[in-house]
Structures are given as C-alpha cells and as structure tokens.
Amino acid sequence: MAEVQIATPRGIPVLETARLRLRPHRPGDFDFSVSLWADPIVTRYIGGRPLTREEVWGRLLRYDGHWAMLGFGYWALEEKLTGAFLGELGFADLQREIEPRLDGMAEIGWVLAPQHHGKGYATEAVGAVVAWGDARLSNGRMVALIHPENGASLRVAEKFGFRELCRTTYHGEPTVQFVREIPRQRDSGPEQKTFFRG
C-alpha cells in the first residue's frame, strides 16, 4: 500500500511504496525522460517511434499542467534506495480522438525503462497510483489503453481489476480499451476529491 506524504510546493503528492517513490517531475529529470522516450523498446507499443527532445519537453510540461488544472497527473518514478529514475506513470485527460470516447474517465498510463522491466516495479507503482485514484478521483471509472501485443502491461492492468471494454484503433494502431470502476467511497471527512471533467 502506498503512503501519501506531504504535498510538494506545486501541490503534487509524493507516494511511497516499499521500494519506490512517486514524486513530481523536476527539471533535472529531462535528460532521463529523453533517454526513456528515445528507447525503441519503450515506444514499441506507445506511438511506435522514439520521441524527440522537443516532444519529451512538451510531455513534461503537460504532466505539470494536468496537476495544475485537473488535480491529477503523472509522477516520476524512482527507486527509494538509490534514487534511480525508473520511469513515469499517472493519470491524464488527453482528449484523445478515439472511439469509443474516453470522456469522463481518467486515463492511467505507465512506462518504465527497459533495464527495470521484470522486477515487479510496474505492479508496485501501478498499485500505488490506483489506490491514490480510488481515494481521490470521483469520476467513476479509470481507463487504460494498451497495445494488444504488450503482454506485460495487459497483465498489470488485469491485476488491478481493469477489464477489457473493446478493441479499437488509435492513430492507425490497434489498442485495447480497459476500464476499471472506482469504488464508491464513504464520506470519511475533509479528504478532498478530484472531480474529473472529461
């Protein structure tokens, strides 16, 4: 289970698990993100091509913009013991041109550098993000778009109760839409919910 720590000055919470820290991105993460998104193994199922430095910079700015405008977004993922940058994950509202539409659903996504695959980090980190979303999102559903050949991500999604909604295409590539119902929370006091406007 993730522990929510004090929010950062930008209001982005820090989550910790046994081995991982999910924290806001910093300008110093840029080169790590560039390396991550330039790797063809990473982008094989996410867009199909490596990203440019310009595209990665826009992605980092979009992460912060999500937090500022919507109250949710992406975290940088690091190993607690070493501080090593492992990847990125979180929620987004990308206003995708896809059928069926994703309106009213927070889209979860995760990406880890290949040298960190196969260690259970994705499962551990996604578990923390899903728990955070269950406690704070009020839109009723989460969605994940996963390439049908990305077996590792399909298994992670299924572990957390995502179920296949449909198979479709996005930018000409096959994708599977997975949905997960957000459990209804009992009113436990002043905890602030993030209302998703899709």
Side-chain angles (χ1 to χ4, degrees):
M1 185 58 137
E3 173 187 327
V4 178
Q5 297 184 342
I6 298 172
T8 62
R10 295 189 330 249
I12 302 170
V14 175
L15 308 181
E16 290 194 352
T17 67
R19 301 180 294 165
L20 306 173
R21 180 175 297 111
L22 290 71
R23 59 160 177 81
H25 285 81
R26 303 184 286 244
D29 294 329
F30 180 56
D31 286 336
F32 293 112
S33 289
V34 167
S35 177
L36 176 73
W37 289 103
D39 191 313
I41 294 172
V42 168
T43 60
R44 177 180 177 195
Y45 299 124
I46 307 172
R49 66 167 180 80
L51 300 184
T52 66
R53 290 178 65 81
E54 179 181 349
E55 289 169 323
V56 173
W57 182 246
R59 184 179 280 275
L60 289 177
L61 296 176
R62 185 169 58 203
Y63 295 158
D64 256 19
H66 270 85
W67 285 107
M69 291 184 66
L70 301 174
F72 59 81
Y74 266 62
W75 288 271
L77 178 63
E78 68 181 21
E79 189 177 44
K80 279 172 44 175
L81 186 62
T82 65
F85 183 93
L86 307 178
E88 303 170 341
L89 74 160
F91 293 108
D93 174 7
L94 301 172
Q95 295 295 313
R96 293 186 191 271
E97 296 293 331
I98 190 170
E99 291 296 330
R101 302 269 315 151
L102 307 179
D103 298 338
M105 293 184 275
E107 180 182 337
I108 190 171
W110 57 91
V111 60
L112 273 72
Q115 65 268 31
H116 303 297
H117 290 179
K119 299 178 182 179
Y121 288 149
T123 298
E124 191 172 329
V126 170
V129 171
V130 165
W132 184 90
D134 283 349
R136 285 164 187 80
L137 298 175
S138 63
N139 53 304
R141 285 178 145 184
M142 297 175 191
V143 64
L145 299 181
I146 303 174
H147 192 285
E149 294 175 11
N150 188 346
S153 285
L154 293 171
R155 287 187 296 277
V156 169
E158 290 168 353
K159 285 179 187 178
F160 293 101
F162 284 86
R163 62 176 175 73
E164 184 175 326
L165 176 67
C166 68
R167 291 179 180 246
T168 186
T169 59
Y170 181 65
H171 289 242
E173 291 293 320
T175 191
V176 182
Q177 281 190 21
F178 283 86
V179 295
R180 180 181 178 279
E181 303 299 323
I182 297 173
R184 294 176 64 128
Q185 300 288 323
R186 295 182 190 187
D187 188 9
S188 58
E191 180 85 28
Q192 183 177 357
K193 287 259 191 194
T194 299
F195 291 89
F196 181 78
R197 290 174 173 66

